[in-house]
Amino acid sequence: AQKVTQAQTEISVVEKEDVTLDCVYETRDTTYYLFWYKQPPSGELVFLIRRNSFDEQNEISGRYSWNFQKSTSSFNFTITASQVVDSAVYFCALDTSGTYKYIFGTGTRLKVLA
Amino acid sequence: DTAVSQTPKYLVTQMGNDKSIKCEQNLGHDTMYWYKQDSKKFLKIMFSYNNKELIINETVPNRFSPKSPDKAHLNLHINSLELGDSAVYFCASSLFVEGSKDTQYFGPGTRLTVL
């Protein structure tokens, strides 16, 4: 079975704090892709990052960083020095080879307070 | 220069009516999707089309009928609307790459409210 778990339903932080959003996935496939999307209050889904199962290098993009660990089936997302504009629902998604669909986690609502 | 567009953005209608949502992408992609996001924000695939052919129909009631007139368009027609159909519907597109997976890019969503 393929599954994505985002155990944190909602997180509140104060501006400038660092925050990590957890994502744990399940798949028996050896080739798969993991994604993070941001859904701000305006409702659109904004692509953040794509990672394939053969690339375990961590990635940093500005204040965003991602930690992919196959050993724990996790693909966590950290926002450094959070800002109010980071307030959104963040989704982790899994796409396995041979399928034409994403399996989404249930999302984590991040609230950054000024 | 919108990549994936959907019309309308909001749709309010009565139970029992028939309605359509249109989706267009100008990214040159060959695969398009419909997802449903319920009131709890849960996102679930409904349909996938590759080169105008239906690839995935994820146990969606047959009141929902997607139609892909060409690779750039995937419309969703819903018959006999029910209260439970109220949700946000997202269209997405990607490019099929042999041995790999391209990123799916999403439209802005259509909020359907059935009264």
Short mmCIF file of all heavy atoms in Angstrom, two decimals, chain B residues 9-41:
data_model
loop_
_atom_site.label_atom_id
_atom_site.label_comp_id
_atom_site.label_asym_id
_atom_site.label_seq_id
_atom_site.Cartn_x
_atom_site.Cartn_y
_atom_site.Cartn_z
N LYS B 9 -14.15 29.92 -11.40
CA LYS B 9 -13.44 29.83 -10.11
C LYS B 9 -14.42 29.46 -8.99
O LYS B 9 -14.07 28.75 -8.07
CB LYS B 9 -12.76 31.14 -9.79
CG LYS B 9 -11.85 31.05 -8.56
CD LYS B 9 -10.91 32.23 -8.48
CE LYS B 9 -10.09 32.20 -7.19
NZ LYS B 9 -9.26 30.98 -7.08
N TYR B 10 -15.64 29.98 -9.11
CA TYR B 10 -16.68 29.65 -8.13
C TYR B 10 -17.91 29.18 -8.89
O TYR B 10 -18.25 29.72 -9.93
CB TYR B 10 -17.05 30.88 -7.28
CG TYR B 10 -15.91 31.43 -6.48
CD1 TYR B 10 -15.16 32.50 -6.94
CD2 TYR B 10 -15.57 30.87 -5.25
CE1 TYR B 10 -14.11 33.01 -6.20
CE2 TYR B 10 -14.52 31.37 -4.50
CZ TYR B 10 -13.79 32.44 -4.98
OH TYR B 10 -12.74 32.94 -4.25
N LEU B 11 -18.59 28.20 -8.31
CA LEU B 11 -19.79 27.65 -8.94
C LEU B 11 -20.78 27.31 -7.83
O LEU B 11 -20.48 26.46 -6.98
CB LEU B 11 -19.42 26.41 -9.75
CG LEU B 11 -20.45 25.76 -10.64
CD1 LEU B 11 -21.11 26.74 -11.57
CD2 LEU B 11 -19.80 24.63 -11.43
N VAL B 12 -21.89 27.99 -7.81
CA VAL B 12 -22.94 27.73 -6.83
C VAL B 12 -24.16 27.27 -7.59
O VAL B 12 -24.61 27.93 -8.53
CB VAL B 12 -23.27 28.99 -6.00
CG1 VAL B 12 -24.34 28.67 -4.96
CG2 VAL B 12 -22.01 29.53 -5.32
N THR B 13 -24.72 26.13 -7.18
CA THR B 13 -25.83 25.57 -7.94
C THR B 13 -26.74 24.77 -7.03
O THR B 13 -26.41 24.47 -5.89
CB THR B 13 -25.28 24.69 -9.08
OG1 THR B 13 -26.35 24.29 -9.94
CG2 THR B 13 -24.59 23.46 -8.53
N GLN B 14 -27.88 24.40 -7.57
CA GLN B 14 -28.86 23.63 -6.79
C GLN B 14 -28.64 22.14 -7.00
O GLN B 14 -28.13 21.69 -8.05
CB GLN B 14 -30.28 23.99 -7.25
CG GLN B 14 -30.65 25.45 -7.05
CD GLN B 14 -30.87 25.78 -5.60
OE1 GLN B 14 -31.29 24.94 -4.81
NE2 GLN B 14 -30.58 27.03 -5.23
N MET B 15 -29.04 21.38 -6.01
CA MET B 15 -29.03 19.91 -6.12
C MET B 15 -29.79 19.49 -7.35
O MET B 15 -30.84 20.06 -7.68
CB MET B 15 -29.72 19.31 -4.88
CG MET B 15 -28.78 18.67 -3.92
SD MET B 15 -29.54 17.78 -2.54
CE MET B 15 -31.23 18.19 -2.58
N GLY B 16 -29.26 18.49 -8.03
CA GLY B 16 -29.95 17.94 -9.19
C GLY B 16 -29.53 18.56 -10.51
O GLY B 16 -29.81 17.99 -11.58
N ASN B 17 -28.88 19.72 -10.44
CA ASN B 17 -28.43 20.37 -11.69
C ASN B 17 -27.22 19.65 -12.29
O ASN B 17 -26.56 18.84 -11.63
CB ASN B 17 -28.06 21.83 -11.43
CG ASN B 17 -29.29 22.71 -11.27
OD1 ASN B 17 -30.42 22.28 -11.53
ND2 ASN B 17 -29.09 23.93 -10.81
N ASP B 18 -26.96 19.99 -13.56
CA ASP B 18 -25.77 19.50 -14.26
C ASP B 18 -24.85 20.70 -14.49
O ASP B 18 -25.30 21.76 -14.91
CB ASP B 18 -26.13 18.90 -15.62
CG ASP B 18 -27.14 17.77 -15.51
OD1 ASP B 18 -27.26 17.17 -14.43
OD2 ASP B 18 -27.80 17.48 -16.53
N LYS B 19 -23.54 20.50 -14.24
CA LYS B 19 -22.60 21.60 -14.42
C LYS B 19 -21.29 21.08 -14.99
O LYS B 19 -20.97 19.90 -14.86
CB LYS B 19 -22.31 22.31 -13.08
CG LYS B 19 -23.48 23.11 -12.54
CD LYS B 19 -23.77 24.30 -13.44
CE LYS B 19 -24.97 25.09 -12.90
NZ LYS B 19 -25.35 26.17 -13.83
N SER B 20 -20.54 22.00 -15.58
CA SER B 20 -19.23 21.66 -16.13
C SER B 20 -18.16 22.60 -15.62
O SER B 20 -18.42 23.78 -15.38
CB SER B 20 -19.25 21.73 -17.66
OG SER B 20 -20.05 20.72 -18.20
N ILE B 21 -16.97 22.06 -15.48
CA ILE B 21 -15.78 22.85 -15.13
C ILE B 21 -14.77 22.63 -16.26
O ILE B 21 -14.55 21.49 -16.68
CB ILE B 21 -15.15 22.40 -13.80
CG1 ILE B 21 -16.19 22.42 -12.68
CG2 ILE B 21 -13.98 23.31 -13.45
CD1 ILE B 21 -15.69 21.80 -11.38
N LYS B 22 -14.19 23.73 -16.70
CA LYS B 22 -13.25 23.62 -17.82
C LYS B 22 -11.82 23.81 -17.32
O LYS B 22 -11.57 24.58 -16.39
CB LYS B 22 -13.56 24.65 -18.88
CG LYS B 22 -14.90 24.42 -19.56
CD LYS B 22 -15.11 25.37 -20.72
CE LYS B 22 -16.41 25.06 -21.43
NZ LYS B 22 -16.64 25.94 -22.58
N CYS B 23 -10.89 23.13 -17.96
CA CYS B 23 -9.48 23.24 -17.61
C CYS B 23 -8.65 23.30 -18.89
O CYS B 23 -8.88 22.52 -19.83
CB CYS B 23 -9.03 22.06 -16.76
SG CYS B 23 -7.27 22.11 -16.35
N GLU B 24 -7.70 24.20 -18.89
CA GLU B 24 -6.81 24.35 -20.04
C GLU B 24 -5.39 24.55 -19.54
O GLU B 24 -5.17 25.26 -18.56
CB GLU B 24 -7.23 25.54 -20.89
CG GLU B 24 -6.31 25.81 -22.08
CD GLU B 24 -6.74 27.01 -22.89
OE1 GLU B 24 -7.74 27.66 -22.52
OE2 GLU B 24 -6.07 27.32 -23.89
N GLN B 25 -4.43 23.94 -20.23
CA GLN B 25 -3.04 24.18 -19.88
C GLN B 25 -2.26 24.56 -21.15
O GLN B 25 -2.52 24.03 -22.22
CB GLN B 25 -2.41 22.96 -19.19
CG GLN B 25 -2.53 21.64 -19.93
CD GLN B 25 -1.38 21.31 -20.83
OE1 GLN B 25 -0.36 22.02 -20.87
NE2 GLN B 25 -1.50 20.23 -21.59
N ASN B 26 -1.32 25.48 -20.96
CA ASN B 26 -0.51 25.94 -22.09
C ASN B 26 0.96 25.60 -21.87
O ASN B 26 1.86 26.30 -22.36
CB ASN B 26 -0.70 27.45 -22.31
CG ASN B 26 -0.25 28.27 -21.11
OD1 ASN B 26 0.31 27.74 -20.15
ND2 ASN B 26 -0.48 29.56 -21.16
N LEU B 27 1.20 24.50 -21.15
CA LEU B 27 2.56 24.08 -20.83
C LEU B 27 3.09 23.05 -21.81
O LEU B 27 4.23 22.59 -21.65
CB LEU B 27 2.60 23.51 -19.40
CG LEU B 27 2.24 24.51 -18.30
CD1 LEU B 27 2.02 23.79 -16.98
CD2 LEU B 27 3.33 25.56 -18.16
N GLY B 28 2.27 22.64 -22.75
CA GLY B 28 2.69 21.59 -23.67
C GLY B 28 2.70 20.21 -23.05
O GLY B 28 3.34 19.29 -23.56
N HIS B 29 2.01 20.05 -21.93
CA HIS B 29 1.95 18.76 -21.25
C HIS B 29 1.00 17.80 -21.96
O HIS B 29 0.11 18.22 -22.69
CB HIS B 29 1.50 18.94 -19.80
CG HIS B 29 2.52 19.62 -18.95
ND1 HIS B 29 2.23 20.15 -17.70
CD2 HIS B 29 3.84 19.85 -19.15
CE1 HIS B 29 3.33 20.67 -17.18
NE2 HIS B 29 4.31 20.50 -18.04
N ASP B 30 1.22 16.50 -21.71
CA ASP B 30 0.37 15.50 -22.36
C ASP B 30 -0.48 14.72 -21.37
O ASP B 30 -1.22 13.82 -21.76
CB ASP B 30 1.22 14.53 -23.19
CG ASP B 30 2.29 13.85 -22.34
OD1 ASP B 30 2.34 14.05 -21.11
OD2 ASP B 30 3.09 13.09 -22.91
N THR B 31 -0.36 15.04 -20.10
CA THR B 31 -1.12 14.33 -19.08
C THR B 31 -1.85 15.34 -18.20
O THR B 31 -1.26 16.33 -17.77
CB THR B 31 -0.18 13.47 -18.20
OG1 THR B 31 0.60 12.64 -19.06
CG2 THR B 31 -0.97 12.59 -17.26
N MET B 32 -3.12 15.07 -17.97
CA MET B 32 -3.94 15.99 -17.17
C MET B 32 -4.74 15.21 -16.14
O MET B 32 -5.00 14.02 -16.31
CB MET B 32 -4.86 16.83 -18.08
CG MET B 32 -4.07 17.74 -19.02
SD MET B 32 -5.09 18.84 -20.00
CE MET B 32 -5.62 20.03 -18.77
N TYR B 33 -5.11 15.91 -15.08
CA TYR B 33 -5.70 15.26 -13.92
C TYR B 33 -6.83 16.12 -13.35
O TYR B 33 -6.82 17.34 -13.48
CB TYR B 33 -4.65 15.11 -12.80
CG TYR B 33 -3.31 14.59 -13.22
CD1 TYR B 33 -2.37 15.42 -13.82
CD2 TYR B 33 -2.96 13.26 -12.99
CE1 TYR B 33 -1.12 14.95 -14.19
CE2 TYR B 33 -1.71 12.79 -13.36
CZ TYR B 33 -0.80 13.64 -13.96
OH TYR B 33 0.44 13.16 -14.32
N TRP B 34 -7.74 15.44 -12.65
CA TRP B 34 -8.69 16.12 -11.79
C TRP B 34 -8.53 15.56 -10.38
O TRP B 34 -8.50 14.34 -10.19
CB TRP B 34 -10.13 15.91 -12.24
CG TRP B 34 -10.53 16.81 -13.35
CD1 TRP B 34 -10.76 16.48 -14.66
CD2 TRP B 34 -10.78 18.22 -13.27
NE1 TRP B 34 -11.12 17.59 -15.38
CE2 TRP B 34 -11.13 18.68 -14.56
CE3 TRP B 34 -10.73 19.17 -12.23
CZ2 TRP B 34 -11.43 20.00 -14.84
CZ3 TRP B 34 -11.01 20.48 -12.51
CH2 TRP B 34 -11.37 20.91 -13.79
N TYR B 35 -8.42 16.49 -9.42
CA TYR B 35 -8.37 16.13 -8.01
C TYR B 35 -9.54 16.81 -7.30
O TYR B 35 -9.97 17.89 -7.69
CB TYR B 35 -7.08 16.63 -7.34
CG TYR B 35 -5.84 15.87 -7.71
CD1 TYR B 35 -5.14 16.17 -8.88
CD2 TYR B 35 -5.35 14.86 -6.89
CE1 TYR B 35 -3.98 15.47 -9.21
CE2 TYR B 35 -4.20 14.17 -7.21
CZ TYR B 35 -3.52 14.48 -8.37
OH TYR B 35 -2.37 13.80 -8.69
N LYS B 36 -10.00 16.19 -6.22
CA LYS B 36 -11.05 16.77 -5.40
C LYS B 36 -10.48 17.05 -4.02
O LYS B 36 -9.83 16.18 -3.43
CB LYS B 36 -12.23 15.80 -5.28
CG LYS B 36 -13.38 16.30 -4.41
CD LYS B 36 -14.51 15.28 -4.37
CE LYS B 36 -15.66 15.76 -3.50
NZ LYS B 36 -16.77 14.76 -3.43
N GLN B 37 -10.71 18.26 -3.51
CA GLN B 37 -10.30 18.61 -2.16
C GLN B 37 -11.55 18.85 -1.33
O GLN B 37 -12.32 19.77 -1.59
CB GLN B 37 -9.41 19.85 -2.14
CG GLN B 37 -8.86 20.16 -0.74
CD GLN B 37 -7.86 21.29 -0.73
OE1 GLN B 37 -8.05 22.32 -1.37
NE2 GLN B 37 -6.77 21.10 -0.01
N ASP B 38 -11.73 18.02 -0.30
CA ASP B 38 -12.94 18.13 0.50
C ASP B 38 -12.79 19.21 1.57
O ASP B 38 -11.77 19.92 1.64
CB ASP B 38 -13.30 16.77 1.11
CG ASP B 38 -12.25 16.25 2.08
OD1 ASP B 38 -11.44 17.06 2.61
OD2 ASP B 38 -12.23 15.03 2.32
N SER B 39 -13.80 19.32 2.39
CA SER B 39 -13.85 20.40 3.38
C SER B 39 -12.75 20.28 4.44
O SER B 39 -12.41 21.26 5.08
CB SER B 39 -15.21 20.43 4.07
OG SER B 39 -15.46 19.19 4.69
N LYS B 40 -12.19 19.10 4.57
CA LYS B 40 -11.08 18.91 5.52
C LYS B 40 -9.73 19.06 4.83
O LYS B 40 -8.70 18.71 5.40
CB LYS B 40 -11.19 17.53 6.19
CG LYS B 40 -12.42 17.40 7.07
CD LYS B 40 -12.46 16.08 7.79
CE LYS B 40 -13.68 16.00 8.69
NZ LYS B 40 -13.78 14.69 9.38
N LYS B 41 -9.75 19.55 3.62
CA LYS B 41 -8.52 19.82 2.85
C LYS B 41 -7.88 18.55 2.28
O LYS B 41 -6.76 18.62 1.77
CB LYS B 41 -7.48 20.57 3.69
CG LYS B 41 -7.90 21.97 4.08
CD LYS B 41 -7.79 22.90 2.92
CE LYS B 41 -7.92 24.34 3.33
NZ LYS B 41 -7.81 25.27 2.17
#
